[in-house]
Amino acid sequence: SQTIHQWPATLVQPVGSPLSLECTVEGTSNPNLYWYRQAAGRGLQLLFYSVGIGQISSEVPQNLSASRPQDRQFILSSKKLLLSDSGFYLCACTKGTSGTRTDTQYFGPGTRLTVL
Amino acid sequence: GQQLNQSPQSMFIQEGEDVSMNCTSSSIFNTWLWYKQDPGEGPVLLIALYKAGELTSNGRLTAQFGITRKDSFLNISASIPSDVGIYFCAGQWAGANSKLTFGKGITLSVRP
């Protein structure tokens, strides 16, 4: 079964500083990958998804960007953080196309970002 | 756009009681999923439903895919303290790059 790693687990950054969050996936190939943000006490908002290397779709206008340099690596970045970027960032993946159920999304442990 | 409605926002039950949570949508979905999130962790998939009318169990959990494809419910029987957490429903369209639409979640508290 697939395993999703996210790094770092927590991060405190000043306003205006850059950001790089990493998500790596093990145990599957050619997965769809997703970045979500969860504000405190709120639901999950889809930020980006990727169906393959170098292919990124943005769901909402924002201060963030995403990249997929390798099949099982998904990066969330920002050049200048805003206070409103604070939140819990979750990476998710679907099983690769070799699976019979390709639709189910599985989540990583998340990164808690606090922008001060 | 598509929205999923989960209410109430919070539920408080006594240990040992059963609890039922509903999720409704203004649009139909091909797949319904139920997740549980513990504080500070990522959501964990509880049950996935793929066919209208499907009833699926996972231990003390039972979920059903509504006949109209616009709703789903999750039942937890004989609740225990570790059932505490946020329960999210999610709907999915086939072929939509597996993107999910999430409800806002229900926070469940279990009194011992």
Side-chain angles (χ1 to χ4, degrees), chain B residues 96-109:
Chain B
N97 293 315
S98 299
K99 289 191 291 181
L100 297 178
T101 299
F102 280 87
K104 293 186 177 180
I106 293 175
T107 300
L108 180 65
S109 299

Side-chain angles (χ1 to χ4, degrees), chain B residues 64-80:
Chain B
Q64 184 159 30
F65 191 142
I67 293 293
T68 65
R69 296 167 65 190
K70 290 185 177 182
D71 63 329
S72 176
F73 73 76
L74 175 71
N75 278 353
I76 304 174
S77 62
S79 59
I80 59 178

Side-chain angles (χ1 to χ4, degrees), chain B residues 19-86:
Chain B
V19 62
S20 183
M21 304 177 188
N22 284 347
C23 186
T24 60
S25 170
S26 57
S27 306
I28 62 174
F29 289 103
N30 300 104
T31 301
W32 284 91
L33 304 163
W34 285 92
Y35 290 86
K36 182 195 176 200
Q37 185 178 29
D38 291 329
E41 299 183 13
V44 174
L45 181 67
L46 299 174
I47 293 179
L49 303 159
Y50 300 100
K51 289 172 55 178
E54 180 180 354
L55 184 71
T56 298
S57 293
N58 178 8
R60 294 179 295 106
L61 307 178
T62 302
Q64 184 159 30
F65 191 142
I67 293 293
T68 65
R69 296 167 65 190
K70 290 185 177 182
D71 63 329
S72 176
F73 73 76
L74 175 71
N75 278 353
I76 304 174
S77 62
S79 59
I80 59 178
S82 63
D83 290 333
V84 166
I86 304 175

Side-chain angles (χ1 to χ4, degrees), chain A residues 9-20:
Chain A
T10 61
L11 188 62
V12 180
Q13 291 285 94
V15 170
S17 64
L19 173 74
S20 181

Side-chain angles (χ1 to χ4, degrees), chain A residues 15-36:
Chain A
V15 170
S17 64
L19 173 74
S20 181
L21 302 182
E22 183 173 354
C23 170
T24 57
V25 179
E26 295 178 354
T28 189
S29 60
N30 195 30
N32 286 359
L33 297 173
Y34 309 83
W35 276 113
Y36 290 87

Side-chain angles (χ1 to χ4, degrees), chain A residues 42-64:
Chain A
R42 307 281 294 275
L44 289 85
Q45 180 186 35
L46 180 63
L47 303 176
F48 300 96
Y49 72 93
S50 171
V51 300
I53 295 174
Q55 301 179 62
I56 308 294
S57 296
S58 175
E59 288 294 297
V60 294
Q62 60 199 297
N63 182 44
L64 303 169

